[in-house]
Amino acid sequence: MLRKLFSFNGGVKPDPNKGASTREPIARLPLPPQLIIPLHQHIGGTPRPLVKVGDRVLHGQRIGAADGNVSSAVHAPTSGHVVAIEPRLMPHASGLSSMAVVIEPDGQDQRIEREPFDWHAASPGEVRDYLRDAGVVGLGGAVFPSHLKLAPGKAGGTDTLVLNGAECEPFITCDDMLMRSEAEDILRGALVMQKMLAAKQVLVGVEDNKPEAAAALKAAAAALAHASLDVVVVPTRYPAGGAKQLIRVLTGIEVPHGSRSTDYGVQCFNVATALAVWNALEHGEPLTRRIVTVAGNVDRPRNFDVAIGTPIGFVFEHAGLKPDTDKLIMGGPMMGIPLPGVDAPVVKATNCLLASSPALFPPPEPELPCIRCGECARACPADLQPFELYWHSRARNFGRAQEYHLFDCIECGCCAYVCPSHIPLVDYYRYAKSEIWARERDKDAADSARERFEFRNWRAEREKEEKAAKLAARSAAKPAAKPAATDKPPAEGDTAATPAEDPKKALIEAAMARAKAQKEAVAAKNTDTLTPAQQAQVEAAEARRKLAADMVATGDGETTRATATADKPTE
Amino acid sequence: MYNSPYLRQNTSVRRVMTTVLVAMLPAIAVQSWLFGAALLVQIALASVTALACEALMLALRGRPVAPALTDMSALVTAWLIAVCLPPLLPWWTTVLGTAFALIIGKHLYGGLGQNPFNPAMLAYALLIVSFPALMSQWPGLNVGDFATQMDWVFGGARALDGVTGATPLDALRTGLMTGGDAAAVMRSTAFGHIAGAGWEWVALAWGAGGLLLLALRIITWHVPVAFVAVMSLVSGIASLIDPAQFAGPAFHLLAGGAMMGAFFIATDPVSGATTPRGKLVFAAGIALIAWLIRAFGAYPDGIAFAVLLMNICVPLIDMKTQPPVFGHKNGGAP
């Protein structure tokens, strides 16, 4: 069947460099002396540790429970003892540490008793919970908890499930090798996802530089004989493996930044995620291992089946790290992150470990002035004008950078790749984004500080008014109190409170109105030219702020007023 | 530590600028073959002046001199200035123009990438306003041997009207001003097949170099296509309305600086528009203004002033022609 393919603008064609690591099949890496399993390996809440130091854990045992729904569990990849639960170095450019469970394998690899889970009979909600507790997250690199994406969209059904096997980054071949060897189970996993999403069709996108993988998938699809399943070969062009770029190529839909593809009836998963879903549901295997490409400046580039938590240095030892390596990268050469050290572990996001040498990835040449040649704009898959973003970021003119859609940048690196002036363009965007985030944090902090201050002033004012009102009420009530002395004492409080209540209320309301007017007067006015999406965000933030202010004003005000009136009789 | 991408395409400013220089060679070769080697001397003069001014200004501004000197951008400016000027111009005029372009036009605005105006066109504008007589002394076909030409350039000897032929644009303007008919004027000896003895070959050589730039992706199609289209359109309409007063599209495209302007001047990325639609607007504006100046103005050719006038509009054009961002067109629908 010939399918009409669409294309996205821009993109580049770097040398794929995929030959070296695909010569040999995937090898299972032995267990290291120590496994460092970070609790937080996905987008969302950090799981709570379920074990303590000294515990013996079994292979497949949950060691971190999902914290809420936007989270995902983590598991022990083998049996052994927990020797530490402490912050450890993470595979992240920042060099920061994060809480990790350190396990010393005992070599027995004793498995946890598998609880049978009849996913055929289970409700979609139960399947999602099961996947959350099996720690299945997106294995393409973004590690978004998969169960969250496996619900039909608002419209009730998803039109298309896209399986991403494009793998466009140079050097990375883990998905390629997985598609070659596990094509059938990948597609079975996809069919389960299709059922959960109630999707009409499943499209598997594979770049045309992976003919073996495409052939394996096509054969598997033929064996499964599923009419709605189609393996589509797409042209090789970086970043065709970006979810939104692949969705564009396969369906023609352009999902804007800030929107979810589900809103457009499309959901996209990496092929390895589909396999993880299948393994979790069919075999009860939580996600404890993944395929990692080790490539670049190593003697034996290859794909390894690695236990999550294996220190990166241990993986590189097996591939034979060459001595002139100058840095280690997690991910590909276009979007990979520099690793802070060999002690950081392999995590669920680790698709590739790349050793760099000055010969392989020479340090960038000195930055020259931008000549506005427009190469970056021609290469940009998001149709941005990167050099304009660069000028504005460089000039710290962040408002203008946002007007030029800074936040639509996917940091794919195409612009910097083609820049004849060797400007590290993406670094400028990262800088601008982080500055904007920092300013927003500062603004939020300033806003809440101002709200606290205004409330404090309002309360001080109110207390003063109350005191004056109380004094006035007491002096007015004194002559009347004597004849009424034989009556029940509470009545005095009641009668005294009623006249005092009204001016008090009016004063409170006036103070609140003043505070509100003041707040409106100082509200940020840099929100004139906003896209609908930004407008919506702003409104949402305003609504939250208003809610908080209302809670402060009504809830807290009520209680203080109540205590004030309740105090009265005892006076 | 540096961040992704770690891969870089094998490209550089030097490579881009060198390609432009190479693409200029056909026109330079044809012109010096037909009109004498004085052009090569002028190119050498302008190059030396440009490199000297670049080095001086960089040193004064406290910037590293070597990388900027070797990026070839000063040479591109120098060559563009030299080919715009009459080759028999006294040497100091070329030096003055080039120095003005580099010092005022480039470095006082902040150097490479910062100049709002095309430096070569600034030099041309300065010289034609200051020395209109000198600037109109274009040699006829094979006028004078090399020694004579050098005497004009470096010695005190001045070219006489007899040896410097009027350029076709100039001849047309003079002919029309003295009450001639466009078609009749263009049949005179100053004109070759279409646009003037020899000049149409130079123009075609510029076009060939321009196609090379297009093929090597140094420039995009937008500027030359919009320029040629609008120039053809307005001159075509005008000559249909009044053939006695206005020359046709073929003449306007092959005479003067039209082809050079379309492929080498209006395509200057630094001072030109950058968005695809902006480039169309920018080049269309240049073609229109250039034709207006040619048809009604006091100067024979109008490319330089047209480019400078449109340079002023670039920020506005760029701002108003931003292409839609991925996912922000048609509400995301295919």
Side-chain angles (χ1 to χ4, degrees):
Chain A
M1 188 176 90
L2 271 180
R3 172 174 292 278
K4 177 176 164 33
L5 289 182
F6 300 82
S7 71
F8 59 93
N9 295 328
V12 294
K13 285 189 173 181
D15 187 353
N17 271 305
K18 296 191 187 239
S21 56
T22 50
R23 265 181 233 126
E24 288 177 281
I26 298 168
R28 197 178 167 95
L29 198 76
L31 286 170
Q34 256 193 3
L35 290 156
I36 303 148
I37 300 143
L39 286 165
H40 192 238
Q41 297 195 38
H42 50 266
I43 292 160
T46 303
R48 296 165 276 120
L50 294 175
V51 289
K52 51 188 191 300
V53 176
D55 281 2
R56 179 158 194 268
V57 292
L58 299 177
H59 183 159
Q61 182 182 334
R62 198 137 43 99
I63 53 174
D67 178 39
N69 203 35
V70 188
S71 187
S72 187
V74 283
H75 302 78
T78 187
S79 60
H81 287 90
V82 176
V83 294
I85 300 174
E86 61 190 18
R88 288 293 185 105
L89 187 66
M90 283 299 109
H92 189 271
S94 64
L96 290 178
S97 298
S98 159
M99 205 47 109
V101 177
V102 183
I103 295 173
E104 238 167 45
D106 55 16
Q108 296 169 23
D109 201 29
Q110 200 178 341
R111 282 198 82 98
I112 192 168
E113 189 105 6
R114 279 179 211 159
E115 291 164 31
F117 177 70
D118 186 7
W119 60 273
H120 294 279
S123 74
E126 287 166 343
V127 176
R128 280 196 291 277
D129 287 351
Y130 185 83
L131 289 175
R132 180 192 65 205
D133 294 338
V136 179
V137 297
L139 294 175
V143 286
F144 192 84
S146 296
H147 65 277
L148 293 173
K149 286 166 71 182
L150 281 170
K154 285 174 216 127
T158 310
D159 184 73
T160 307
L161 165 65
V162 168
L163 220 53
N164 190 343
E167 201 170 45
C168 57
E169 272 251 25
F171 290 95
I172 307 183
T173 57
C174 57
D175 290 349
D176 184 3
M177 297 309 282
L178 198 66
M179 288 187 282
R180 292 186 199 188
S181 58
E182 308 288 338
E184 202 159 314
D185 281 355
I186 288 171
L187 295 185
R188 284 200 183 102
L191 292 175
V192 176
M193 290 169 149
Q194 181 189 19
K195 199 175 145 202
M196 291 178 73
L197 289 165
K200 293 196 188 79
Q201 57 171 349
V202 184
L203 300 179
V204 190
V206 189
E207 272 193 346
D208 59 14
N209 63 358
K210 293 179 259 298
E212 291 97 331
L217 285 169
K218 279 183 170 161
L224 287 171
H226 222 275
S228 61
L229 185 71
D230 198 3
V231 178
V232 187
V233 176
V234 302
T236 298
R237 183 160 54 118
Y238 178 84
K244 287 180 180 177
Q245 276 66 39
L246 188 64
I247 288 171
R248 164 75 191 160
V249 170
L250 292 177
T251 67
I253 294 168
E254 285 189 13
V255 180
H257 178 84
S259 301
R260 296 241 182 116
S261 61
T262 28
D263 301 339
Y264 296 82
V266 186
Q267 194 59 285
C268 184
F269 290 92
N270 179 269
V271 284
T273 316
L275 183 65
V277 166
W278 179 251
N279 285 340
L281 294 179
E282 185 70 13
H283 306 299
E285 279 176 17
L287 188 65
T288 59
R289 304 183 72 88
R290 67 156 297 147
I291 313 298
V292 179
T293 305
V294 188
N297 200 39
V298 291
D299 291 322
R300 298 173 296 279
R302 195 171 184 178
N303 281 281
F304 292 101
D305 181 1
V306 184
I308 285 156
T310 305
I312 278 154
F314 185 83
V315 185
F316 272 121
E317 265 171 46
H318 280 260
L321 195 63
K322 289 185 187 170
D324 63 330
T325 300
D326 63 344
K327 74 178 154 292
L328 304 174
I329 299 160
M330 184 169 101
M334 295 299 286
M335 291 184 80
I337 54 169
L339 287 168
V342 289
D343 298 333
V346 165
V347 291
K348 291 175 183 177
T350 312
N351 50 3
C352 180
L353 292 172
L354 198 55
S356 158
S357 70
L360 192 62
F361 304 128
E365 286 178 54
E367 190 178 332
L368 289 174
C370 167
I371 54 170
R372 292 161 52 93
C373 64
E375 279 297 320
C376 49
R378 268 176 270 172
C380 180
D383 300 330
L384 299 170
Q385 299 281 297
F387 58 91
E388 299 277 11
L389 294 176
Y390 158 72
W391 286 115
H392 297 313
S393 303
R394 199 183 142 100
R396 305 174 59 84
N397 198 346
F398 302 121
R400 295 285 282 161
Q402 271 178 286
E403 276 173 39
Y404 279 89
H405 302 279
L406 172 68
F407 285 99
D408 279 276
C409 169
I410 57 171
E411 300 184 18
C412 64
C414 288
C415 51
Y417 175 79
V418 298
C419 180
S421 292
H422 312 295
I423 302 169
L425 289 161
V426 189
D427 285 353
Y428 280 95
Y429 313 146
R430 291 182 183 125
Y431 158 72
K433 286 178 184 176
S434 64
E435 282 292 301
I436 291 167
W437 287 325
R439 281 175 189 202
E440 271 170 16
R441 272 198 302 278
D442 289 352
K443 190 180 167 297
D444 287 349
D447 277 349
S448 51
R450 197 186 58 234
E451 261 160 38
R452 276 200 306 277
F453 176 71
E454 278 168 4
F455 176 67
R456 188 181 147 274
N457 282 356
W458 167 74
R459 195 179 54 196
E461 203 176 331
R462 191 198 58 191
E463 276 166 3
K464 216 163 82 185
E465 306 283 358
E466 273 175 2
K467 238 177 226 171
K470 243 187 274 174
L471 206 67
R474 217 182 307 171
S475 54
K478 245 173 201 158
K482 280 210 170 120
T486 48
D487 284 346
K488 339 176 249 180
E492 182 196 301
D494 281 348
T495 46
T498 332
E501 194 83 30
D502 278 331
K504 215 193 317 174
K505 233 180 209 164
L507 280 167
I508 290 166
E509 267 159 17
M512 276 170 67
R514 272 200 302 282
K516 201 179 162 202
Q518 201 178 352
K519 201 197 301 174
E520 268 163 10
V522 298
K525 289 292 178 216
N526 59 346
T527 50
D528 291 338
T529 52
L530 293 176
T531 65
Q534 283 172 322
Q535 189 63 48
Q537 274 181 339
V538 169
E539 274 163 13
E542 292 290 353
R544 279 199 301 280
R545 204 174 293 150
K546 191 170 176 303
L547 189 68
D550 286 350
M551 277 163 66
V552 166
T554 58
D556 209 341
E558 213 88 73
T559 50
T560 41
R561 203 187 305 150
T563 46
T565 42
D567 278 347
K568 237 163 224 135
T570 59
E571 267 179 22
Chain B
M1 179 88 80
Y2 55 94
N3 292 322
S4 62
Y6 306 95
L7 273 182
R8 295 298 180 117
Q9 203 171 40
N10 185 13
T11 173
S12 64
V13 173
R14 185 185 307 138
R15 185 180 282 239
V16 171
M17 295 293 172
T18 309
T19 314
V20 176
L21 292 177
V22 169
M24 288 171 74
L25 291 177
I28 291 169
V30 170
Q31 194 177 331
S32 31
W33 175 260
L34 291 173
F35 297 95
L39 172 66
L40 301 178
V41 176
Q42 297 284 8
I43 288 177
L45 265 178
S47 301
V48 172
T49 310
L51 291 175
C53 291
E54 179 104 337
L56 173 75
M57 290 308 287
L58 287 166
L60 283 177
R61 293 174 59 213
R63 300 294 170 96
V65 175
L69 264 194
T70 53
D71 70 14
M72 314 297 265
S73 64
L75 281 185
V76 170
T77 306
W79 288 27
L80 286 173
I81 292 171
V83 294
C84 292
L85 304 181
L88 301 183
L89 214 55
W91 63 271
W92 53 267
T93 328
T94 310
V95 170
L96 176 72
T98 312
F100 179 75
L102 266 292
I103 296 173
I104 310 278
K106 184 176 179 182
H107 280 287
L108 289 197
Y109 284 114
L112 181 66
Q114 309 274 354
N115 47 298
F117 297 104
N118 187 309
M121 294 300 100
L122 276 182
Y124 182 88
L126 170 81
L127 295 180
I128 200 160
V129 169
S130 311
F131 312 105
L134 283 177
M135 288 290 284
S136 63
Q137 286 177 339
W138 286 84
L141 275 176
N142 287 316
V143 173
D145 56 15
F146 187 64
T148 323
Q149 289 194 339
M150 287 304 97
D151 199 25
W152 282 324
V153 175
F154 291 103
R158 285 276 41 91
L160 302 170
D161 284 351
V163 288
T164 58
T167 62
L169 280 167
D170 212 11
L172 176 69
R173 196 172 59 96
T174 319
L176 290 171
M177 273 164 61
T178 51
D181 175 81
V185 173
M186 285 167 69
R187 275 194 295 275
S188 74
T189 50
F191 293 84
H193 301 289
I194 299 165
W199 287 108
E200 62 255 312
W201 297 113
V202 179
L204 288 173
W206 281 119
L211 292 179
L212 180 70
L213 289 185
L214 261 180
L216 295 174
R217 291 175 41 89
I218 303 291
I219 61 172
T220 60
W221 59 268
H222 304 80
V223 165
V225 166
F227 184 98
V228 169
V230 171
M231 184 61 99
S232 309
L233 190 73
V234 289
S235 60
I237 291 171
S239 75
L240 278 179
I241 293 170
D242 188 355
Q245 192 64 29
F246 300 107
F251 172 83
H252 273 292
L253 287 176
L254 293 179
M259 292 310 265
M260 181 194 166
F263 286 100
F264 287 82
I265 302 294
T267 51
D268 170 28
V270 174
S271 60
T274 49
T275 63
R277 280 189 301 144
K279 285 177 183 169
L280 294 177
V281 174
F282 178 70
I286 292 173
L288 183 66
I289 297 172
W291 179 80
L292 286 173
I293 295 173
R294 282 177 174 190
F296 306 105
Y299 294 103
D301 204 350
I303 303 289
F305 290 108
V307 168
L308 294 176
L309 287 172
M310 288 308 290
N311 282 162
I312 303 172
C313 310
V314 160
L316 183 69
I317 295 174
D318 275 351
M319 195 191 295
K320 294 293 173 194
T321 56
Q322 289 295 313
V325 172
F326 185 89
H328 293 270
K329 39 199 136 164
N330 311 326

